[in-house]
Amino acid sequence: MRRDLEKDVVGRRIKDVEVRPSPNALRVIRRHNKPGKRSVRKEFTSQLAGRKVTKVERKGKYVLMHLDGGGVLVVHFGMSGQFLRATKRQPQAPHTHVIITFQQGGDLRFVDPRTFGEMFVTSSDDLGKVKELAHIAIDPLEDTFTWQAFGEHMAQRASKLKPLLMDQKFISGLGNIYSDEVLFAAGLRHDRMSDSLSSQEVRRLYRAIQEIVQDAIRYRGTTLEDEAYLDLFGKPGEFARELKVYGRKGLPCRRCRTPIQSVALGGRRSFFCPQCQS
């Protein structure tokens, strides 16, 4: 998503912003609902209209769209949120909550059926004060994600591997799908304790994190049957067909043919091969 926005939206100037007339749309911009402030919609839209997008960054699961003048549009997609590029001639998808129209080149629509996502504008100087961003941990695609840094993090924790990989305060960006795929690639079970790993196992896990995330981006993400994720242009990602364990309960392991098993762990389903992972 960040890479597509960087190519398609950077350099465009925002003509106007519409927050749809529904309680769910207001929920998306809820952070602008402050006591004593003017209209919530006006508080949000006035900070975007007339501004040019100058840069797009990703921090963990947040997208940061930098604007000329020093503002930053911060976006979190939650469980089901997505951006879609469109034109006025195209009908709005259900659950479209915010529409950003550019002076030239159509619009950008924020769609979120479950409204766990969020959009808000802050200044670049105040980004460090956004607590959710301040708590985001090391990123597997950043230069700071080194073998040494990862090893130090692992040594300080004594947690089951699956919840630890999904903890955004430990490592950023991994969710339910990719943590299962990473653990399979590393040959480790979801319930292994992080402080029980040998140095060789830690190295395997470190490499698997980078490889799985990079492969998933190369295949443009993972779209499952519910199509909760589509790319910026409404097309599904293709990594689902590369999945080795996630969503494959009862199917033969692609490596050893043992049936894939599934267990509940921390309120989520974990998929693994009992033969290949230990």
Side-chain angles (χ1 to χ4, degrees):
M1 183 61 72
R2 187 207 65 78
R3 294 181 185 191
D4 283 348
L5 289 169
E6 183 78 30
K7 294 175 185 175
D8 194 72
V9 172
V10 167
R12 297 189 187 274
R13 190 172 297 277
I14 297 170
K15 181 180 180 181
D16 57 54
V17 181
E18 178 187 4
V19 179
R20 300 293 294 153
S22 71
N24 282 342
L26 288 177
R27 177 173 161 81
V28 170
I29 61 167
R30 53 192 174 272
R31 202 168 298 220
H32 288 275
N33 187 10
K34 301 173 183 176
K37 289 284 186 179
R38 54 185 170 174
S39 158
V40 177
R41 286 186 174 86
K42 192 70 174 176
E43 171 73 18
F44 175 72
T45 60
S46 64
Q47 297 183 65
L48 296 173
R51 296 299 183 185
K52 180 190 289 187
V53 181
T54 59
K55 181 174 66 172
V56 181
E57 290 184 300
R58 180 187 58 79
K59 189 169 176 61
K61 296 181 180 180
Y62 288 82
V63 166
L64 312 179
M65 298 176 64
H66 292 259
L67 311 169
D68 62 353
V72 184
L73 174 60
V74 182
V75 184
H76 190 278
F77 297 101
M79 296 289 289
S80 60
Q82 58 186 285
F83 268 146
L84 289 176
R85 282 285 274 131
T87 66
K88 284 188 175 181
R89 290 175 295 178
Q90 294 173 277
Q92 293 178 19
H95 311 292
T96 298
H97 301 308
V98 178
I99 302 172
I100 299 173
T101 302
F102 299 106
Q103 288 184 358
Q104 294 179 322
D107 55 40
L108 181 64
R109 303 174 182 182
F110 184 78
V111 182
D112 187 4
R114 301 178 68 178
T115 63
F116 291 141
E118 183 181 17
M119 304 176 75
F120 63 92
V121 183
T122 187
S123 70
S124 55
D125 292 338
D126 289 338
L127 268 179
K129 299 177 183 178
V130 178
K131 60 181 181 181
E132 293 89 348
L133 297 178
H135 292 158
I136 289 176
I138 194 168
D139 192 300
L141 295 184
E142 296 288 338
D143 293 338
T144 52
F145 186 70
T146 62
W147 154 249
Q148 292 84 355
F150 184 65
E152 289 172 6
H153 280 341
M154 293 289 290
Q156 294 167 3
R157 304 294 283 262
S159 304
K160 291 181 179 179
L161 286 180
K162 173 76 179 278
L164 183 61
L165 291 180
M166 293 179 61
D167 182 353
Q168 300 302 295
K169 295 179 181 178
F170 175 69
I171 186 170
S172 68
L174 293 180
N176 202 34
I177 297 174
Y178 298 130
S179 55
D180 278 355
E181 293 299 304
V182 162
L183 289 170
F184 176 79
L188 299 169
R189 283 176 57 97
H190 55 279
D191 53 1
R192 277 286 299 276
M193 299 300 291
S194 61
D195 58 349
S196 73
L197 304 186
S198 67
S199 59
Q200 183 181 20
E201 288 173 326
V202 173
R203 287 174 187 267
R204 285 208 315 260
L205 183 58
Y206 169 76
R207 285 197 301 270
I209 291 171
Q210 291 184 309
E211 290 170 0
I212 292 297
V213 172
Q214 289 169 348
D215 284 349
I217 291 174
R218 183 160 54 89
Y219 282 96
R220 302 185 59 76
T222 305
T223 301
L224 303 177
E225 290 182 358
D226 60 6
E227 292 199 340
Y229 164 73
L230 298 172
D231 72 11
L232 188 62
F233 307 102
K235 297 179 180 179
E238 298 179 348
F239 193 66
R241 62 190 183 192
E242 305 297 320
L243 296 176
K244 303 297 190 296
V245 288
Y246 184 86
R248 302 190 68 248
K249 179 181 179 180
L251 296 176
C253 171
R254 299 189 193 277
R255 187 182 295 161
C256 74
R257 312 305 292 173
T258 301
I260 299 298
Q261 295 184 10
S262 173
V263 296
L265 186 69
R268 311 293 288 273
R269 299 304 301 182
S270 290
F271 298 86
F272 66 100
C273 173
Q275 183 70 28
C276 295
Q277 295 171 250
S278 62

